[in-house]
Amino acid sequence: ELDVSGYGNSVWNRLKIIASEDIGIGDSLVVKEVVEKYKAWKDIVGQKTSTSFKSEEARKILCNIVKRMCEAKKTRIVPNAGAVAVKQF
């Protein structure tokens, strides 16, 4: 619902963070897929003529990447390594 409420870019920004921090090297292709799907979503949403079909297509893109991220293997190695590095200084 956030995407149709005008917060679509915020949703995508959060998805990029989740993909890099929570999934990361657990499934390294997910970060690339999120960026690619975001570009496709942006192309559809950015078009001047907004029809219900285009809105449905944009929503499908968003739902598919969320499903993909849910199914991906997760790892917290990168954020945890950063926390350890900060604590050492």
Side-chain angles (χ1 to χ4, degrees):
E1 290 183 21
L2 288 170
D3 61 325
V4 293
S5 299
Y7 294 100
N9 284 315
S10 298
V11 171
W12 283 100
N13 288 336
R14 188 66 196 137
L15 290 177
K16 291 177 206 173
I17 292 168
I18 292 168
S20 59
E21 289 183 357
D22 297 326
I23 299 170
I25 60 174
D27 189 343
S28 57
L29 292 177
V30 170
V31 176
K32 179 182 174 190
E33 290 175 33
V34 168
V35 171
E36 289 172 354
K37 298 294 183 186
Y38 171 68
K39 289 178 183 176
W41 177 86
K42 190 89 168 154
D43 287 343
I44 292 170
V45 173
Q47 295 174 357
K48 299 238 187 252
T49 56
S50 181
T51 64
S52 61
F53 173 75
K54 290 179 183 175
S55 296
E56 189 65 30
E57 276 302 304
R59 179 157 274 203
K60 284 180 186 178
I61 291 171
L62 182 59
C63 290
N64 285 334
I65 198 62
V66 169
K67 181 178 182 279
R68 170 73 170 98
M69 291 173 70
C70 290
E71 295 169 346
K73 182 179 177 185
K74 316 296 188 290
T75 182
R76 295 286 299 164
I77 291 174
V78 174
N80 291 343
V84 170
V86 169
K87 287 180 184 178
Q88 289 181 355
F89 291 104

